[in-house]
Amino acid sequence: MSNPQGNLIGNVTQDCVLGTDDKCTYRTVDRTAIELFGALRGKRWQATTSLQMWNFEDGRLDPDGKLTDADLRYWNVDVGFFVSERDEILARVGQWEFTDPSYDNEGDTVNESSEEWRVGYSHYSLGNNFKFTVDYGQATDSTDVEFSGAGGTQDLSTEGLRFLLAFQI
């Protein structure tokens, strides 16, 4: 069987799952990604947004023996307000969605998604080349478990405090 989307060629079997078949590796599958990014900045505020769209062969076969494509979409919006020249109050919302039409090798579709929100504080120094951020937020992961026979949707929510150090040279 030949794969017109990538260079995976040879006897592709039902066992072609990434990491378990030497002919089906991360390097042999076709991946396509697009990212759109935008930013606006005023004297005392800034806003950024990002949209990422991924399409890739996940190394699984549909019931007809053809490799399937999985889709991943992610977007976020960040808004910050400077309370001083070096101190910023910020907020973020974001979401990603994953769809794979044959996740369980039986042709059933699995859908996963995650939504997050965060609020925090950033301090800039060294001419804005160094940034320390602390934020608090929550992420809710939702998985469609129809493919496992359990039916319905399973939700998992995590929340917590996060610290980030960033610098540019």
Side-chain angles (χ1 to χ4, degrees):
M1 173 188 296
S2 159
N3 176 15
Q5 296 178 350
N7 59 359
L8 183 62
I9 298 172
N11 184 16
V12 181
T13 66
Q14 289 287 4
D15 296 327
C16 181
V17 177
L18 290 178
T20 63
D21 187 327
D22 63 351
K23 290 182 174 52
C24 185
T25 66
Y26 183 75
R27 277 179 255 153
T28 62
V29 297
D30 183 37
R31 299 171 303 281
T32 305
I34 297 171
E35 179 176 10
L36 303 173
F37 177 81
L40 294 172
R41 185 166 186 171
K43 186 174 183 178
R44 301 199 45 108
W45 61 272
Q46 65 180 352
T48 62
T49 186
S50 173
L51 171 65
Q52 299 175 20
M53 297 171 286
W54 296 71
N55 180 274
F56 56 93
E57 293 171 342
D58 62 358
R60 298 181 189 274
L61 301 173
D62 67 13
D64 297 327
K66 297 178 183 173
L67 283 172
T68 63
D69 287 341
D71 295 313
L72 175 68
R73 284 186 302 274
Y74 173 77
W75 65 265
N76 71 329
V77 176
D78 298 328
V79 177
F81 178 75
F82 288 92
V83 293
S84 73
E85 187 175 311
R86 302 255 181 238
D87 299 302
E88 176 187 27
I89 303 296
L90 54 100
R92 160 183 262 198
V93 294
Q95 180 184 44
W96 65 263
E97 295 175 340
F98 173 78
T99 303
D100 186 344
S102 65
Y103 187 81
D104 66 349
N105 282 333
E106 294 178 10
D108 293 335
T109 298
V110 67
N111 295 301
E112 295 182 58
S113 64
S114 179
E115 297 176 354
E116 74 167 332
W117 61 263
R118 304 199 82 73
V119 292
Y121 163 81
S122 290
H123 177 77
Y124 295 85
S125 62
L126 301 174
N128 290 348
N129 290 328
F130 180 81
K131 178 172 81 168
F132 169 76
T133 300
V134 59
D135 64 19
Y136 176 82
Q138 181 179 39
T140 302
D141 300 325
S142 178
T143 302
D144 177 3
V145 291
E146 291 289 334
F147 72 93
S148 68
T153 300
Q154 179 180 0
D155 292 332
L156 174 65
S157 189
T158 56
E159 58 186 71
L161 199 58
R162 184 171 69 170
F163 298 91
L164 170 74
L165 294 174
F167 61 92
Q168 53 187 13
I169 299 174

